[in-house]
Amino acid sequence: MKSLKFKCLFVVLLALNVSFSQDKDEVLLKVGGEPIMASEFLRVYNKNLDLVKDESQKDIDGYLTLFTEYQLKLQEAKRLKLNEDKNYQREFTRYKKQLIKNYISENKVTDELVEEAYKRSNIDINASHILVRLDPSEKDTIAAYNQVLELRNRALKEGYDTVKAKMHNGETIFLEDLGYFSAFKMVYDFETAAFNTPAGEISMPFRTQFGYHVVKVNDRRASRGTVTAAHIMINLSPKDTLVNPEERINTIYKKLEQGENFEALAKQFSEDKSSANNGGKLTPFKSGQLSSIKFEDEAFGLKNNGDFSKPFKTDYGWHIVKRIDLEPIAPLEDVKENFVARVKRDSRSKLINEAMVAKLKKKYKINYNSEAKAYFVKILNEKFYSRAWEIPEDLNKTEAVFTINDRAFSYEAFAKHLFNSQRLYSNKKMPFATIVDKEFKSFFETSIFKYREENLEVENKDYANILKEYRDGLLLFDLMEKEIWNKASKDTLGLEAYYNDNKANYKWTDRVDVVIATSSDKSNLKKLRKLMKKGKSEDEIKEALNKGDEENVIFTKGIYSVNDPVLPSNFEVKKGLSDVYNNHNEAFHIIRVKEVLPARVKTLEEAKGRVINDYQAVLETNWVKDLYSRFKVEVNDDVLKTVKSKIGN
């Protein structure tokens, strides 16, 4: 089974977006009787040209073969009715909902909100707040307002902490310290109030969906920016059975304090393989970007470039982090795309929705039924407040509440909307006219967005192309998984036969089973060698050479390829105890080779991953031949010549 990450990549690589002549588009080929236009082929060719590694496929004829095989696979997927599979339809619908967000937006309002959020992201605010809880639908709010105002006045006179100790009950009244936060960490209305309140002051009351608040701003500071750091990490469950993670990280820390080079120690001992060979250096990161708050705080807490932390533990292991550089927050143009996405996910998105509704009202022809609201006010009754109201049987279901262009939205649809909204008004004696007004606005907004979504493929060609390409790509992934990938991994007899016929392709290189002793002081290793020759254990040797707080030697053991970079370049492959190897990774080493493991053919289990991949390729080649025999392929040679002339191929 392929991973979800691979699945997404597979589908994305099929995204296409180039057009053929607007005035003349002809059928280039037919696959199983289904016509494919020249514009479709050119869109694929131009978009994917740089992704094709095989030079022969960059030639039109070569690429046409690749394109034809793609179309054959789509025809097979449809023949197998994979497009009717519920899981496929569910995943495609989920993607469609994500994609459409990029096309249904109000850019002017979005840009203003992005700029505001960016400016706020340059500032961290430390704040506390007072909240009097209030139901979002509550209209009579004067009591809650007065209560939070009274608490504000008491906080100004008695002190916030005093009032907190007396009044916080965690149910209706909350007085909480929120720590530092920046843009996007709080609901938008709260964030705005906090950023508009000077440090040391308490805001006037304001309302969010939670109730009435006042916010006390304790401090404002510049953003921590972007830090470039390196680290040494020891896994919580290391492969080296000699290693106790906490002891190992403390040993390395002592060596750092003794003046040994951080990068050299990272290369030798860090078990974060993605950074170890680069001296432990990590990709630059900002606050909130990593999954470990502890790691971020340690990195940002270092005051100077070159400083390193004491050992600390996260969910990933034990670390020592070194600060390399610290840069202020990036310019808006470099981070705008990320900010746009965050604004659209945030509570401030309701401002974008309101602007979009206004824009669509101008774009579409809207006709309202002037009698509709009064009719629905009339048919509501007291049962609505107890969620017992039923839609009247004599409802004129086909009557239009409003129309958008030629699409009518019926009384029946709005009645169902009201029926489903009853839960929002349970035991709330809100006037029916107010309820109908509020729910009409909600129903209209939902309807106009739905209309835009349903017609977007007609209105926006770019969206239509991307949606089609994802639809086909997702279908092709499911087909390949069913017909090739799963078969290759589950066909044990076929896999074993393929391995036996090709086992010469799967070999171990020469390897060694070793114990490596490492020190920054060559004289220590000379003493160590004598002790090792006497048969002393690693613990006995460490006890003899590591005096007090000094860590003079570290042991590592494992099975390595003779070309592994952990071994010196002049490593001698022979059983026994070596002489001292000088200055490998800026340290000295003695290596005991316990066993030399010569090159040999891997067992099927050892080579299984690669064997499966190779077997998949064979299965796919044979499968595609069968598809050519199942579906007739017809190429229009005259149109193909025209395509070639357009590309100059």
Side-chain angles (χ1 to χ4, degrees), residues 13 174 195 304 389 399 431 461 471 531 597 607 616 644:
L13 289 178
F174 295 78
F195 274 91
N304 303 301
W389 178 76
E399 182 79 15
K461 185 177 181 181
R471 181 188 290 117
L531 294 170
L597 305 171
Q616 285 174 352
K644 288 181 177 180

Side-chain angles (χ1 to χ4, degrees), residues 59 71 84 102 106 203 249 254 302 346 376 608 641:
D59 173 80
Q71 298 298 330
E84 298 177 12
N102 298 325
E106 213 304 313
S203 74
I249 201 72
K254 289 177 183 178
L302 298 170
D346 188 61
F376 281 96
K608 197 166 188 178
K641 289 178 183 178

Side-chain angles (χ1 to χ4, degrees), residues 266-280:
K267 289 177 182 178
Q268 294 170 63
F269 302 113
S270 180
E271 294 180 339
D272 177 9
K273 298 304 181 185
S274 64
S275 66
N277 290 338
N278 198 26

Side-chain angles (χ1 to χ4, degrees), residues 378-396:
K378 185 178 179 180
I379 65 173
L380 293 184
N381 56 47
E382 291 295 316
K383 291 183 178 180
F384 192 86
Y385 300 123
S386 58
R387 302 175 64 175
W389 178 76
E390 297 287 344
I391 298 173
E393 292 184 3
D394 61 351
L395 179 79
N396 188 351

Side-chain angles (χ1 to χ4, degrees), residues 10-250:
F10 180 89
V11 175
V12 167
L13 289 178
L14 297 170
L16 325 165
N17 188 23
V18 177
S19 63
F20 193 61
S21 169
Q22 293 293 317
D23 55 353
K24 187 178 182 182
D25 192 7
E26 299 180 274
V27 174
L28 174 62
L29 75 156
K30 292 183 179 180
V31 177
E34 184 168 323
I36 295 100
M37 309 305 289
S39 60
E40 177 77 358
F41 175 79
L42 279 173
R43 186 167 64 246
V44 176
Y45 179 83
N46 285 285
K47 183 66 177 182
N48 290 340
L49 187 61
D50 292 337
L51 300 175
V52 177
K53 295 180 180 180
D54 188 339
E55 289 296 324
S56 67
Q57 292 174 347
K58 293 185 178 182
D59 173 80
I60 286 292
D61 292 323
Y63 197 84
L64 181 61
T65 299
L66 188 69
F67 180 79
T68 301
E69 291 177 2
Y70 172 82
Q71 298 298 330
L72 283 166
K73 292 172 184 176
L74 286 178
Q75 288 295 321
E76 177 68 357
K78 293 172 184 176
R79 185 186 75 83
L80 296 173
K81 297 184 178 180
L82 297 184
N83 55 322
E84 298 177 12
D85 181 79
K86 290 182 179 179
N87 290 331
Y88 165 82
Q89 292 176 347
R90 187 182 304 114
E91 186 162 353
F92 175 69
T93 299
R94 182 166 60 246
Y95 171 80
K96 183 178 179 181
K97 288 180 178 178
Q98 293 173 346
L99 177 64
I100 206 165
K101 293 177 182 177
N102 298 325
Y103 291 86
I104 298 182
S105 62
E106 213 304 313
N107 292 332
K108 183 176 183 297
V109 175
T110 302
D111 287 344
E112 290 173 353
L113 290 170
V114 164
E115 184 174 356
E116 177 188 68
Y118 173 76
K119 289 179 179 178
R120 291 178 178 178
S121 71
N122 281 271
I123 300 169
D124 293 334
I125 287 182
N126 184 289
S128 306
H129 81 132
I130 302 172
L131 166 65
V132 174
R133 289 297 299 268
L134 192 66
D135 190 277
S137 64
E138 183 63 56
K139 294 297 183 181
D140 185 6
T141 64
I142 189 65
Y145 178 92
N146 287 335
Q147 189 175 15
V148 81
L149 184 61
E150 180 186 356
L151 290 169
R152 175 185 183 272
N153 292 334
R154 286 185 59 183
L156 289 170
K157 294 176 182 177
E158 303 172 31
Y160 177 84
D161 291 336
T162 301
V163 178
K164 176 182 177 182
K166 294 178 180 178
M167 300 303 299
H168 174 82
N169 60 29
E171 295 179 1
T172 58
I173 299 175
F174 295 78
L175 288 89
E176 300 169 310
D177 298 315
L178 303 172
Y180 281 97
F181 59 88
S182 188
F184 301 112
K185 299 298 184 182
M186 305 292 174
V187 295
Y188 180 60
D189 292 338
F190 189 96
E191 174 193 306
T192 296
F195 274 91
N196 289 339
T197 302
E201 296 187 12
I202 302 178
S203 74
M204 291 300 291
F206 61 93
R207 189 175 180 182
T208 73
Q209 65 262 44
F210 305 107
Y212 271 106
H213 308 253
V214 294
V215 59
K216 176 179 179 287
V217 175
N218 304 312
D219 184 33
R220 300 168 75 99
R221 71 181 185 192
S223 168
R224 298 197 292 187
T226 301
V227 67
T228 302
H231 81 138
I232 298 170
M233 185 184 86
I234 303 299
N235 291 325
L236 296 179
S237 300
K239 294 181 180 178
D240 187 343
T241 56
L242 288 176
V243 172
N244 174 290
E246 187 173 4
E247 289 179 5
R248 172 57 64 94
I249 201 72
N250 284 323

Side-chain angles (χ1 to χ4, degrees), residues 296-326:
E296 287 184 354
D297 287 344
E298 290 285 346
F300 281 107
L302 298 170
K303 293 183 179 180
N304 303 301
N305 293 344
D307 287 354
F308 56 85
S309 70
K310 292 182 179 180
F312 62 94
K313 187 180 180 182
T314 71
D315 291 339
Y316 304 98
W318 283 92
H319 311 258
I320 301 169
V321 62
K322 174 186 173 182
R323 172 172 147 174
I324 297 173
D325 193 19
L326 184 68

